[in-house]
Amino acid sequence: MRVFNHIHPLVWVVLGFQLFRLALVPQMGLMPQDAYYALYAHHLDWSYFDHPGMVAYLLYLFEWGLGHKLWAIKLMDWTISSLGLWVFYLLARQILSKSRALVAAFLWGSSIILSVLSLNTTPDVPLLLFWTLSLWSAHKALYGGSKIHWWLMGLWMGLAFQSKYTAVLLPMGLLSVLIIDPEQRKQLKRVEFYGAMILALLIASPVYLWNAAHDFASFGFQTTERSGSFGLSTKSFGLLGGFLGSQMLVIYPLVFLTLFRVSGCWIKRLVKSGRFPRGNQLFLAAFFVPTVLGFALLSPFYWVKINWLIPGFVTGLLATALCYKSKWIKWQIGIQSFLHLVLAGQIIFYWIPIRSDDTYWGWPELNKAFEKYTQSHPQHFLFSADNYKTSAVLQWLNPKSAWLGPNTLGKQGLQFDILYPDLDSLSGKNALMIDSEPRFKNLDAATTIPEELRPFFDQVRVLEPILIKDKSGAVLRKFQVYEGISYHPHGALKERKAR
């Protein structure tokens, strides 16, 4: 037992947070994101409409080994996030002293955003692991002279791009280090550097080939389609406030403010003296400042999601740990522990109803309630047009079913567009549609038929809505149900011609 006496207290704190997250794995319900990326895994491909395929491959492996179970999905999230945390500490030990590396591990290990990654499936889960591995090998190659880590860096960068397109920032950050630092420019002459970049491109090539075969649908969606909603508006101050507030919550306010303080110091020195940071500081800044400050500048023009800054946090937290005061840590342990207890209470007891489809509550009850409709209408095809969420969840809960998405009504269907590109075979068939009503004002059936349905069916009938109640009998979720008679796949075109 004496060996445990020599373990730093922060190790126990970080381990405690990870075990706490593990305990929440069987408590956490199915999120729409879990179901959507599981849909990827059930239709393995080289890539997918809105993201590359790594998250699908990992889900496939865990389901293959553990079965079609919700806890298997969550265990994948927790396992990969835990590996990412371990590699983060290894990277910290290369750059910081042992005590400062432990501080960095604590800052990341106690964060709310790591809990989100550990319990909710997103492409950021594998991205974080391979991004951190890329930096770990890049640092060893640049500052440790390791030849093998040049090749490993190429491997990790390729796998990072197979996780999420954000990984394109990795070679950009590396090039900035090599160009800015005079001592590192010699690396541009190394065969290993170019070999690593070629290896990364080869590993990522399935993503390019898939896009080429699908009219570059994924690249277009992530670039031109998203940029269509970019611009100043009356909501800009709200977007900026939402960005700052959400990031402070998920990473801890003092940590977030210190991140910007460190960035400000580097930028101030650059402006005043024209000198960039050198050595480890340049390495940290190159993979942190462009990401974090870039999204901060973008936030008044576009809604920046809480997970988009995650790659920048890796080296950002290492820089923060350099100047983070030890006296702040005790307070942070207490506050972060309290916030995690609140999070656990919300997961287990659902204290605050979420008026959105981005929730884990009520999906199994919806599935059970909808059975009476599928039993009474066994030949009808099934769809939902509220983005991907309802269709993906009900598809996961009923693996033998074939739920369609918004593309049924001529809308953007995301991966459903790829899975079901031709709906002509459904022409003339009847359908059941579920329409989520997250901010419902009454418990009644719809009094009018949605206009978006009319061009695609000869007749639409309003059926009894599905009401999901909690244990006290309070209605927390509502879903309208419609029956469409005689489907017209090209209904929108038909209507335009009629006009």
Side-chain angles (χ1 to χ4, degrees):
M1 295 296 292
R2 289 181 180 179
V3 67
F4 295 110
N5 296 331
H6 299 288
I7 297 177
H8 196 283
L10 282 181
V11 173
W12 295 116
V13 172
V14 174
L15 181 61
F17 275 105
Q18 279 306 98
L19 292 176
F20 184 81
R21 293 177 180 112
L22 179 61
L24 290 178
V25 163
Q27 305 296 328
M28 184 68 182
L30 180 69
M31 288 290 289
Q33 292 81 3
D34 298 325
Y36 184 61
Y37 297 120
L39 183 70
Y40 281 18
H42 295 162
H43 299 83
L44 288 179
D45 206 341
W46 291 114
S47 190
Y48 299 87
F49 180 83
D50 32 359
H51 292 291
M54 184 57 66
V55 68
Y57 310 147
L58 291 171
L59 285 172
Y60 178 86
L61 288 174
F62 273 74
E63 183 168 320
W64 174 76
L66 302 173
H68 186 75
K69 299 178 177 65
L70 176 57
W71 63 266
I73 293 178
K74 303 297 184 181
L75 187 61
M76 186 281 288
D77 298 328
W78 181 86
T79 302
I80 301 302
S81 297
S82 298
L83 287 173
L85 176 59
W86 171 246
V87 178
F88 174 81
Y89 176 70
L90 295 180
L91 174 63
R93 284 292 289 120
Q94 288 176 195
I95 299 174
L96 310 176
S97 66
K98 183 177 181 179
S99 61
R100 292 289 99 185
L102 286 171
V103 170
F106 163 72
L107 297 180
W108 182 236
S110 64
S111 66
I112 292 292
I113 192 62
L114 185 58
S115 296
V116 173
L117 291 175
S118 300
L119 298 170
N120 185 32
T121 309
T122 69
D124 299 282
V125 175
L127 172 67
L128 175 65
L129 173 60
F130 293 117
W131 180 285
T132 312
L133 280 167
S134 297
L135 298 182
W136 175 65
S137 286
H139 192 272
K140 281 187 172 292
L142 293 177
Y143 303 100
S146 172
K147 290 185 178 181
I148 187 62
H149 277 281
W150 280 105
W151 299 102
L152 287 175
M153 180 189 68
L155 169 66
W156 307 135
M157 282 188 177
L159 294 176
F161 194 81
Q162 282 272 17
S163 301
K164 197 173 182 181
Y165 296 135
T166 313
V168 73
L169 296 173
L170 282 168
M172 294 172 63
L174 178 66
L175 275 172
S176 66
V177 172
L178 297 182
I179 293 171
I180 293 171
D181 191 342
E183 295 181 4
Q184 294 296 337
R185 284 177 199 158
K186 61 185 178 182
Q187 309 286 4
L188 291 169
K189 299 178 181 180
R190 294 182 68 107
V191 173
E192 290 86 355
F193 165 72
Y194 296 98
M197 294 300 98
I198 292 171
L199 179 60
L201 288 170
L202 288 174
I203 293 172
S205 62
V207 180
Y208 314 135
L209 295 174
W210 183 95
N211 270 275
H214 293 83
D215 298 321
F216 296 94
S218 186
F219 290 161
F221 172 73
Q222 294 291 358
T223 53
T224 56
E225 288 194 35
R226 287 191 183 274
S227 64
S229 57
F230 180 86
L232 279 173
S233 69
T234 56
K235 298 180 180 180
S236 291
F237 283 109
L239 290 173
L240 177 61
F243 165 77
L244 295 174
S246 61
Q247 294 301 322
M248 286 185 185
L249 173 64
V250 300
I251 201 65
Y252 191 73
L254 195 55
V255 173
F256 187 70
L257 293 174
T258 307
L259 281 170
F260 275 87
R261 178 171 169 265
V262 171
S263 299
C265 290
W266 284 335
I267 294 173
K268 182 179 179 181
R269 185 171 65 177
L270 175 62
V271 172
K272 280 190 171 184
S273 65
R275 291 183 298 173
F276 285 94
R278 292 290 183 88
N280 283 331
Q281 287 195 18
L282 176 61
F283 183 85
L284 297 177
F287 297 99
F288 152 53
V289 175
T291 303
V292 174
L293 288 189
F295 281 125
L297 294 173
L298 176 66
S299 62
F301 307 95
Y302 192 88
W303 173 243
V304 176
K305 297 181 181 180
I306 61 172
N307 57 316
W308 287 4
L309 270 69
I310 288 174
F313 286 152
V314 174
T315 54
L317 291 179
L318 297 184
T320 299
L322 284 168
C323 57
Y324 207 72
K325 295 182 180 180
S326 299
K327 65 180 181 180
W328 296 341
I329 293 177
K330 288 184 179 180
W331 281 99
Q332 187 167 340
I333 292 173
I335 293 172
Q336 293 291 64
S337 297
F338 172 76
L339 290 176
H340 276 83
L341 288 174
V342 171
L343 175 64
Q346 174 67 14
I347 290 173
I348 297 170
F349 302 109
Y350 204 62
W351 289 330
I352 304 173
I354 300 170
R355 299 295 182 183
S356 165
D357 291 328
D358 278 318
T359 180
Y360 51 87
W361 190 90
W363 294 114
E365 292 80 3
L366 169 65
N367 182 55
K368 185 176 181 180
F370 191 65
E371 285 180 358
K372 70 175 183 179
Y373 293 100
T374 56
Q375 290 171 359
S376 59
H377 304 80
Q379 300 304 315
H380 287 42
F381 72 87
L382 312 173
F383 77 98
S384 176
D386 53 354
N387 207 294
Y388 64 87
K389 297 178 176 66
T390 302
S391 295
V393 168
L394 292 177
Q395 178 66 57
W396 190 88
L397 292 170
N398 301 275
K400 294 183 179 180
S401 64
W403 276 83
L404 303 181
N407 56 320
T408 312
L409 302 182
K411 297 180 178 180
Q412 172 63 265
L414 303 177
Q415 186 61 22
F416 290 100
D417 275 335
I418 305 299
L419 295 178
Y420 308 105
D422 184 4
L423 300 179
D424 288 343
S425 62
L426 299 176
S427 181
K429 293 188 176 182
N430 302 333
L432 290 174
M433 171 187 166
I434 288 184
D435 185 21
S436 175
E437 200 173 317
R439 298 186 178 274
F440 60 90
K441 296 181 179 179
N442 59 62
L443 306 182
D444 303 329
T447 56
T448 59
I449 295 170
E451 288 298 322
E452 62 184 3
L453 284 173
R454 294 183 184 276
F456 291 89
F457 295 94
D458 287 346
Q459 182 182 358
V460 179
R461 299 168 182 163
V462 179
L463 304 182
E464 181 183 354
I466 296 175
L467 306 176
I468 310 298
K469 303 177 181 180
D470 64 9
K471 292 180 180 179
S472 67
V475 177
L476 300 186
R477 301 192 71 185
K478 178 184 177 183
F479 297 85
Q480 297 286 0
V481 184
Y482 302 92
E483 180 185 14
I485 306 299
S486 188
Y487 176 60
H488 301 288
H490 308 288
L493 178 62
K494 177 183 177 181
E495 184 184 49
R496 284 197 297 271
K497 288 182 177 180
R499 290 176 182 175

Short mmCIF file of all heavy atoms in Angstrom, two decimals, residues 99-146:
data_model
loop_
_atom_site.label_atom_id
_atom_site.label_comp_id
_atom_site.label_asym_id
_atom_site.label_seq_id
_atom_site.Cartn_x
_atom_site.Cartn_y
_atom_site.Cartn_z
N SER A 99 4.75 18.32 -12.43
CA SER A 99 3.70 18.98 -11.66
C SER A 99 2.77 19.78 -12.56
O SER A 99 1.54 19.76 -12.40
CB SER A 99 4.31 19.89 -10.59
OG SER A 99 5.09 20.91 -11.20
N ARG A 100 3.33 20.49 -13.54
CA ARG A 100 2.49 21.27 -14.47
C ARG A 100 1.71 20.35 -15.41
O ARG A 100 0.59 20.67 -15.81
CB ARG A 100 3.35 22.22 -15.28
CG ARG A 100 3.97 23.35 -14.49
CD ARG A 100 2.93 24.38 -14.05
NE ARG A 100 2.47 24.21 -12.68
CZ ARG A 100 1.51 24.93 -12.12
NH1 ARG A 100 0.88 25.86 -12.81
NH2 ARG A 100 1.16 24.72 -10.87
N ALA A 101 2.29 19.20 -15.77
CA ALA A 101 1.59 18.23 -16.61
C ALA A 101 0.37 17.68 -15.88
O ALA A 101 -0.70 17.47 -16.49
CB ALA A 101 2.52 17.09 -17.01
N LEU A 102 0.50 17.46 -14.59
CA LEU A 102 -0.64 17.00 -13.80
C LEU A 102 -1.72 18.07 -13.71
O LEU A 102 -2.92 17.76 -13.72
CB LEU A 102 -0.18 16.59 -12.40
CG LEU A 102 0.58 15.26 -12.31
CD1 LEU A 102 1.18 15.07 -10.92
CD2 LEU A 102 -0.35 14.10 -12.64
N VAL A 103 -1.30 19.31 -13.60
CA VAL A 103 -2.28 20.41 -13.61
C VAL A 103 -3.03 20.42 -14.93
O VAL A 103 -4.26 20.57 -14.97
CB VAL A 103 -1.58 21.78 -13.37
CG1 VAL A 103 -2.55 22.93 -13.63
CG2 VAL A 103 -1.03 21.85 -11.96
N ALA A 104 -2.31 20.27 -16.04
CA ALA A 104 -2.96 20.23 -17.36
C ALA A 104 -3.95 19.07 -17.45
O ALA A 104 -5.07 19.22 -17.95
CB ALA A 104 -1.90 20.12 -18.46
N ALA A 105 -3.53 17.89 -16.97
CA ALA A 105 -4.41 16.73 -16.99
C ALA A 105 -5.65 16.97 -16.14
O ALA A 105 -6.76 16.56 -16.50
CB ALA A 105 -3.66 15.49 -16.49
N PHE A 106 -5.48 17.67 -15.03
CA PHE A 106 -6.63 18.00 -14.19
C PHE A 106 -7.57 18.98 -14.90
O PHE A 106 -8.79 18.81 -14.86
CB PHE A 106 -6.15 18.61 -12.87
CG PHE A 106 -7.24 19.34 -12.13
CD1 PHE A 106 -8.27 18.65 -11.51
CD2 PHE A 106 -7.25 20.73 -12.08
CE1 PHE A 106 -9.28 19.33 -10.84
CE2 PHE A 106 -8.25 21.42 -11.42
CZ PHE A 106 -9.28 20.71 -10.80
N LEU A 107 -7.02 20.01 -15.54
CA LEU A 107 -7.86 20.98 -16.23
C LEU A 107 -8.73 20.31 -17.29
O LEU A 107 -9.91 20.64 -17.44
CB LEU A 107 -6.99 22.07 -16.89
CG LEU A 107 -6.16 22.95 -15.95
CD1 LEU A 107 -5.36 23.97 -16.75
CD2 LEU A 107 -7.03 23.63 -14.92
N TRP A 108 -8.14 19.37 -18.02
CA TRP A 108 -8.90 18.66 -19.05
C TRP A 108 -9.78 17.58 -18.44
O TRP A 108 -10.95 17.44 -18.80
CB TRP A 108 -7.95 18.07 -20.08
CG TRP A 108 -8.62 17.36 -21.22
CD1 TRP A 108 -8.42 16.08 -21.62
CD2 TRP A 108 -9.60 17.90 -22.12
NE1 TRP A 108 -9.20 15.78 -22.71
CE2 TRP A 108 -9.94 16.90 -23.03
CE3 TRP A 108 -10.22 19.14 -22.21
CZ2 TRP A 108 -10.88 17.07 -24.04
CZ3 TRP A 108 -11.16 19.34 -23.23
CH2 TRP A 108 -11.47 18.31 -24.12
N GLY A 109 -9.23 16.83 -17.48
CA GLY A 109 -9.95 15.70 -16.91
C GLY A 109 -11.15 16.09 -16.08
O GLY A 109 -12.07 15.27 -15.90
N SER A 110 -11.19 17.31 -15.56
CA SER A 110 -12.32 17.75 -14.72
C SER A 110 -13.35 18.54 -15.51
O SER A 110 -14.35 18.98 -14.95
CB SER A 110 -11.80 18.61 -13.57
OG SER A 110 -11.21 19.81 -14.05
N SER A 111 -13.14 18.72 -16.81
CA SER A 111 -14.01 19.60 -17.59
C SER A 111 -15.35 18.94 -17.93
O SER A 111 -15.45 17.72 -18.07
CB SER A 111 -13.31 20.02 -18.89
OG SER A 111 -13.12 18.91 -19.74
N ILE A 112 -16.36 19.77 -18.09
CA ILE A 112 -17.68 19.29 -18.50
C ILE A 112 -17.64 18.77 -19.93
O ILE A 112 -18.31 17.78 -20.26
CB ILE A 112 -18.72 20.42 -18.37
CG1 ILE A 112 -18.94 20.78 -16.88
CG2 ILE A 112 -20.05 20.01 -19.01
CD1 ILE A 112 -19.61 19.70 -16.06
N ILE A 113 -16.85 19.40 -20.79
CA ILE A 113 -16.82 18.99 -22.19
C ILE A 113 -16.28 17.58 -22.34
O ILE A 113 -16.73 16.83 -23.21
CB ILE A 113 -16.00 19.99 -23.05
CG1 ILE A 113 -16.21 19.73 -24.54
CG2 ILE A 113 -14.53 19.95 -22.69
CD1 ILE A 113 -17.61 19.90 -25.03
N LEU A 114 -15.35 17.16 -21.49
CA LEU A 114 -14.86 15.78 -21.55
C LEU A 114 -15.96 14.82 -21.12
O LEU A 114 -16.07 13.71 -21.65
CB LEU A 114 -13.61 15.60 -20.68
CG LEU A 114 -12.95 14.22 -20.78
CD1 LEU A 114 -12.55 13.89 -22.21
CD2 LEU A 114 -11.75 14.11 -19.86
N SER A 115 -16.79 15.24 -20.19
CA SER A 115 -17.94 14.41 -19.79
C SER A 115 -18.93 14.27 -20.94
O SER A 115 -19.49 13.20 -21.16
CB SER A 115 -18.64 15.02 -18.57
OG SER A 115 -17.78 15.02 -17.46
N VAL A 116 -19.14 15.36 -21.67
CA VAL A 116 -20.03 15.31 -22.84
C VAL A 116 -19.48 14.32 -23.87
O VAL A 116 -20.22 13.48 -24.41
CB VAL A 116 -20.19 16.71 -23.46
CG1 VAL A 116 -20.96 16.63 -24.77
CG2 VAL A 116 -20.90 17.64 -22.48
N LEU A 117 -18.18 14.39 -24.14
CA LEU A 117 -17.56 13.47 -25.09
C LEU A 117 -17.63 12.02 -24.61
O LEU A 117 -17.72 11.09 -25.42
CB LEU A 117 -16.11 13.86 -25.33
CG LEU A 117 -15.84 15.16 -26.09
CD1 LEU A 117 -14.35 15.44 -26.13
CD2 LEU A 117 -16.41 15.10 -27.49
N SER A 118 -17.58 11.83 -23.30
CA SER A 118 -17.57 10.47 -22.74
C SER A 118 -18.95 9.83 -22.72
O SER A 118 -19.06 8.62 -22.50
CB SER A 118 -17.02 10.51 -21.31
OG SER A 118 -15.70 11.01 -21.28
N LEU A 119 -20.00 10.63 -22.96
CA LEU A 119 -21.36 10.11 -22.84
C LEU A 119 -22.22 10.34 -24.07
O LEU A 119 -23.37 9.88 -24.11
CB LEU A 119 -22.05 10.75 -21.62
CG LEU A 119 -21.41 10.48 -20.25
CD1 LEU A 119 -22.05 11.37 -19.20
CD2 LEU A 119 -21.56 9.02 -19.88
N ASN A 120 -21.70 11.04 -25.06
CA ASN A 120 -22.49 11.36 -26.24
C ASN A 120 -21.63 11.19 -27.48
O ASN A 120 -20.55 11.78 -27.58
CB ASN A 120 -23.03 12.80 -26.16
CG ASN A 120 -23.95 13.14 -27.31
OD1 ASN A 120 -24.66 12.28 -27.81
ND2 ASN A 120 -23.95 14.39 -27.72
N THR A 121 -22.09 10.40 -28.43
CA THR A 121 -21.30 10.06 -29.60
C THR A 121 -21.24 11.22 -30.59
O THR A 121 -22.28 11.72 -31.03
CB THR A 121 -21.89 8.84 -30.32
OG1 THR A 121 -22.08 7.80 -29.37
CG2 THR A 121 -20.97 8.37 -31.43
N THR A 122 -20.04 11.65 -30.91
CA THR A 122 -19.81 12.63 -31.98
C THR A 122 -18.48 12.28 -32.65
O THR A 122 -17.65 11.56 -32.08
CB THR A 122 -19.72 14.08 -31.45
OG1 THR A 122 -18.51 14.22 -30.70
CG2 THR A 122 -20.92 14.43 -30.57
N PRO A 123 -18.23 12.79 -33.84
CA PRO A 123 -16.92 12.58 -34.48
C PRO A 123 -15.77 13.18 -33.69
O PRO A 123 -14.61 12.82 -33.93
CB PRO A 123 -17.08 13.28 -35.84
CG PRO A 123 -18.54 13.28 -36.10
CD PRO A 123 -19.18 13.45 -34.76
N ASP A 124 -16.08 14.08 -32.74
CA ASP A 124 -15.02 14.67 -31.92
C ASP A 124 -14.38 13.65 -30.99
O ASP A 124 -13.27 13.86 -30.52
CB ASP A 124 -15.58 15.83 -31.09
CG ASP A 124 -16.12 16.94 -31.96
OD1 ASP A 124 -15.32 17.72 -32.48
OD2 ASP A 124 -17.34 17.01 -32.13
N VAL A 125 -15.08 12.56 -30.70
CA VAL A 125 -14.54 11.53 -29.80
C VAL A 125 -13.26 10.93 -30.40
O VAL A 125 -12.19 10.99 -29.78
CB VAL A 125 -15.59 10.47 -29.48
CG1 VAL A 125 -14.98 9.33 -28.66
CG2 VAL A 125 -16.77 11.08 -28.73
N PRO A 126 -13.31 10.36 -31.62
CA PRO A 126 -12.04 9.87 -32.20
C PRO A 126 -11.12 11.01 -32.63
O PRO A 126 -9.89 10.85 -32.59
CB PRO A 126 -12.49 9.04 -33.41
CG PRO A 126 -13.84 9.56 -33.76
CD PRO A 126 -14.46 9.97 -32.45
N LEU A 127 -11.68 12.16 -33.03
CA LEU A 127 -10.82 13.28 -33.43
C LEU A 127 -9.88 13.68 -32.30
O LEU A 127 -8.69 13.90 -32.53
CB LEU A 127 -11.68 14.48 -33.85
CG LEU A 127 -10.88 15.78 -34.10
CD1 LEU A 127 -9.98 15.64 -35.32
CD2 LEU A 127 -11.82 16.97 -34.25
N LEU A 128 -10.42 13.78 -31.09
CA LEU A 128 -9.60 14.18 -29.95
C LEU A 128 -8.43 13.22 -29.75
O LEU A 128 -7.30 13.65 -29.51
CB LEU A 128 -10.45 14.25 -28.69
CG LEU A 128 -9.69 14.54 -27.39
CD1 LEU A 128 -9.08 15.93 -27.42
CD2 LEU A 128 -10.61 14.38 -26.18
N LEU A 129 -8.70 11.92 -29.84
CA LEU A 129 -7.63 10.93 -29.65
C LEU A 129 -6.56 11.08 -30.72
O LEU A 129 -5.36 11.18 -30.40
CB LEU A 129 -8.22 9.53 -29.69
CG LEU A 129 -7.21 8.37 -29.67
CD1 LEU A 129 -6.36 8.40 -28.41
CD2 LEU A 129 -7.92 7.03 -29.82
N PHE A 130 -6.94 11.11 -31.98
CA PHE A 130 -5.93 11.13 -33.06
C PHE A 130 -5.29 12.50 -33.22
O PHE A 130 -4.14 12.60 -33.66
CB PHE A 130 -6.57 10.65 -34.36
CG PHE A 130 -6.97 9.20 -34.32
CD1 PHE A 130 -8.30 8.83 -34.46
CD2 PHE A 130 -6.03 8.21 -34.11
CE1 PHE A 130 -8.68 7.49 -34.40
CE2 PHE A 130 -6.39 6.87 -34.04
CZ PHE A 130 -7.72 6.51 -34.19
N TRP A 131 -6.00 13.56 -32.88
CA TRP A 131 -5.39 14.89 -32.86
C TRP A 131 -4.27 14.93 -31.83
O TRP A 131 -3.16 15.40 -32.11
CB TRP A 131 -6.46 15.93 -32.54
CG TRP A 131 -5.99 17.35 -32.47
CD1 TRP A 131 -5.26 17.93 -31.46
CD2 TRP A 131 -6.19 18.39 -33.44
NE1 TRP A 131 -5.01 19.25 -31.73
CE2 TRP A 131 -5.58 19.56 -32.94
CE3 TRP A 131 -6.86 18.45 -34.66
CZ2 TRP A 131 -5.60 20.76 -33.64
CZ3 TRP A 131 -6.87 19.65 -35.36
CH2 TRP A 131 -6.24 20.79 -34.84
N THR A 132 -4.57 14.42 -30.63
CA THR A 132 -3.56 14.44 -29.56
C THR A 132 -2.39 13.53 -29.89
O THR A 132 -1.23 13.87 -29.64
CB THR A 132 -4.20 14.02 -28.23
OG1 THR A 132 -5.42 14.75 -28.03
CG2 THR A 132 -3.27 14.32 -27.06
N LEU A 133 -2.67 12.36 -30.47
CA LEU A 133 -1.59 11.47 -30.90
C LEU A 133 -0.72 12.15 -31.97
O LEU A 133 0.50 11.99 -31.97
CB LEU A 133 -2.17 10.17 -31.45
CG LEU A 133 -2.61 9.13 -30.41
CD1 LEU A 133 -3.45 8.05 -31.06
CD2 LEU A 133 -1.41 8.52 -29.70
N SER A 134 -1.36 12.90 -32.87
CA SER A 134 -0.60 13.62 -33.90
C SER A 134 0.37 14.61 -33.28
O SER A 134 1.54 14.70 -33.68
CB SER A 134 -1.56 14.35 -34.84
OG SER A 134 -2.40 13.45 -35.53
N LEU A 135 -0.09 15.35 -32.28
CA LEU A 135 0.77 16.33 -31.61
C LEU A 135 1.86 15.65 -30.80
O LEU A 135 2.99 16.14 -30.74
CB LEU A 135 -0.08 17.23 -30.71
CG LEU A 135 -1.15 18.08 -31.42
CD1 LEU A 135 -1.87 18.97 -30.40
CD2 LEU A 135 -0.53 18.93 -32.52
N TRP A 136 1.52 14.53 -30.19
CA TRP A 136 2.51 13.77 -29.40
C TRP A 136 3.66 13.32 -30.30
O TRP A 136 4.84 13.52 -29.97
CB TRP A 136 1.81 12.57 -28.77
CG TRP A 136 2.70 11.63 -28.03
CD1 TRP A 136 3.42 11.88 -26.90
CD2 TRP A 136 2.95 10.26 -28.38
NE1 TRP A 136 4.11 10.75 -26.51
CE2 TRP A 136 3.83 9.74 -27.40
CE3 TRP A 136 2.51 9.43 -29.40
CZ2 TRP A 136 4.29 8.42 -27.44
CZ3 TRP A 136 2.94 8.12 -29.44
CH2 TRP A 136 3.83 7.63 -28.47
N SER A 137 3.33 12.76 -31.45
CA SER A 137 4.37 12.31 -32.38
C SER A 137 5.08 13.48 -33.04
O SER A 137 6.29 13.43 -33.28
CB SER A 137 3.77 11.39 -33.45
OG SER A 137 3.47 10.12 -32.90
N ALA A 138 4.33 14.54 -33.37
CA ALA A 138 4.95 15.71 -34.00
C ALA A 138 6.00 16.33 -33.08
O ALA A 138 7.09 16.71 -33.52
CB ALA A 138 3.88 16.75 -34.35
N HIS A 139 5.70 16.42 -31.80
CA HIS A 139 6.66 17.00 -30.85
C HIS A 139 7.90 16.12 -30.73
O HIS A 139 9.03 16.63 -30.66
CB HIS A 139 6.00 17.20 -29.49
CG HIS A 139 6.79 18.03 -28.55
ND1 HIS A 139 7.74 17.49 -27.71
CD2 HIS A 139 6.81 19.38 -28.33
CE1 HIS A 139 8.30 18.46 -27.00
NE2 HIS A 139 7.76 19.61 -27.35
N LYS A 140 7.68 14.81 -30.69
CA LYS A 140 8.84 13.90 -30.61
C LYS A 140 9.70 13.99 -31.87
O LYS A 140 10.93 13.90 -31.80
CB LYS A 140 8.35 12.46 -30.39
CG LYS A 140 7.97 12.15 -28.94
CD LYS A 140 7.66 10.68 -28.76
CE LYS A 140 7.46 10.32 -27.30
NZ LYS A 140 8.71 10.44 -26.50
N ALA A 141 9.04 14.15 -33.02
CA ALA A 141 9.79 14.25 -34.27
C ALA A 141 10.56 15.56 -34.37
O ALA A 141 11.73 15.58 -34.76
CB ALA A 141 8.83 14.11 -35.46
N LEU A 142 9.92 16.65 -33.98
CA LEU A 142 10.54 17.97 -34.12
C LEU A 142 11.61 18.23 -33.07
O LEU A 142 12.69 18.74 -33.37
CB LEU A 142 9.47 19.07 -34.04
CG LEU A 142 8.46 19.14 -35.19
CD1 LEU A 142 7.43 20.22 -34.91
CD2 LEU A 142 9.16 19.40 -36.51
N TYR A 143 11.29 17.90 -31.83
CA TYR A 143 12.17 18.29 -30.72
C TYR A 143 12.92 17.12 -30.11
O TYR A 143 13.84 17.33 -29.32
CB TYR A 143 11.36 19.01 -29.64
CG TYR A 143 10.63 20.22 -30.16
CD1 TYR A 143 9.27 20.15 -30.47
CD2 TYR A 143 11.29 21.43 -30.37
CE1 TYR A 143 8.59 21.26 -30.97
CE2 TYR A 143 10.62 22.54 -30.87
CZ TYR A 143 9.27 22.45 -31.17
OH TYR A 143 8.61 23.54 -31.67
N GLY A 144 12.54 15.91 -30.49
CA GLY A 144 13.22 14.74 -29.96
C GLY A 144 14.06 14.02 -31.00
O GLY A 144 14.79 13.07 -30.67
N GLY A 145 13.94 14.44 -32.26
CA GLY A 145 14.74 13.84 -33.32
C GLY A 145 14.35 12.43 -33.68
O GLY A 145 15.15 11.69 -34.26
N SER A 146 13.11 12.02 -33.35
CA SER A 146 12.69 10.64 -33.62
C SER A 146 12.21 10.48 -35.06
O SER A 146 11.25 11.12 -35.49
CB SER A 146 11.56 10.25 -32.65
OG SER A 146 11.01 9.00 -32.99
#
